[in-house]
Amino acid sequence: MWKMVTLLLLFLAIGVHIVEGRGPVHANGTIPEQVHIAATEDPTSITVTWITFASTTSSIVMFALSGKSLTNSVNGTMKSFEDDKTTRYVHTVILTKLTPGQAYDYQCGSKDGWSKVFTLHTLYEGPYWSPRFLVFGDLGYKNGLCLPNMMKETAAGHFDAILHVGDIAYDLYEVGDEYMRQVEPMVSTIPYMLCPGNHEEHANFTHYRNRYSMPGGHENIFYSWNVGPVHIISFSTEVYYFLQYGPELPKWQYEWIEEDLKVANSPENRAKHPWIITMGHRPMYCSDFDGDDCNRASCLVRVGVPIFHTYGLEDLFYNYGVDVELWGHEHNYERTWPMYNYTIYNGSYSQPYVNPKAPVHLITGAAGNHEGHDRVNPSANWMAYSSMDFTYSRMTVFNSTHLLWEQVDTSQDAKVIDTILIVKDKHGPEAWK
């Protein structure tokens, strides 16, 4: 009980609005809410998205460099989607020709109603800077115990982008409006980049596909983007588990990922963005006792669709030299040794993460939700570290050779409980030799 009281007080202290109930906050359904931003394939552009509960005459963002009058305006688009209870209107505006590495004030809406003024931070341009990521998965509207600390760090300017590795709100159909209001102070300031989890499944992922505006034009299911020295690939593990929504989806996604990896591995692109990092929800490996697929050698994400074992991702990622694989789903934190096909490939005995010979898997699914924790199995020899506390992750990619990972434990006063520095003198499949 005391944890929930503490959480409520922290939410109130940092300005998190807790609004119960579906539908609009305002009596006037044309007032923008749930404002969030996303990166595009161009670092001088940002996508702004919001929701209203009534149609509006237009979708406009007014903006300017922070501290100046909002004299610039861009028009966007509006679409609607329905579930069995509510119609929502999703507004999307792309801001272009922004100055990299700057703060901009912005306000969204129309003559039918305006949001408050927000401040966003654009990403730097080019590969020669050190992006800082907030990484987490499985964050619920209820019992989101890591959220206050993550919001404080974001407000303090500690991160450049957010990577949410699936399971959003628990779930978007039931509490998506409440959740997006709750996280708005955080996701309206830096890009909020997501991948779908199993809890987004309702009605063929309708809420996930419609609420967000990831780049790439594939309804947010899979996409990639470059940031500093990193190429990030986001994809859906759920295509292997919900075949009723399209048995062809594993094939389509696999072919898209392979083509993306081919392009990313061209000498020119790998030189500019040497780190390739993937993010998907259900992991290939895990060491807990809950009976999930990742406990099995036949894990679908790893080896492919049932019976045929085609379109599995482990060989694909290994063969194209993926460096780090980010996962959620398991309600704990787990870090593997560098591994491939259940075999450890450390760089050396004393320095396992210096020039590792296989990808590193990081599971960060303990941001907090009503389902509780998953108990870990300490006997898995390929698991280097695990925790069952409420945690989230910081990832800093300093340059082409050094990546820092920190795991933050909110139940221990935001103590960093695990740190690794991955050092790579070369990238790509040749790094495994």
Side-chain angles (χ1 to χ4, degrees), residues 112 158 192 254 297 359 396:
D112 305 305
H158 292 176
Y192 184 41
Y254 181 95
T396 304

Side-chain angles (χ1 to χ4, degrees), residues 297-314:
S298 59
C299 171
L300 301 184
V301 178
R302 197 175 78 83
V303 303
V305 296
I307 303 174
F308 303 103
H309 298 307
T310 53
Y311 311 119
L313 296 177
E314 182 171 43

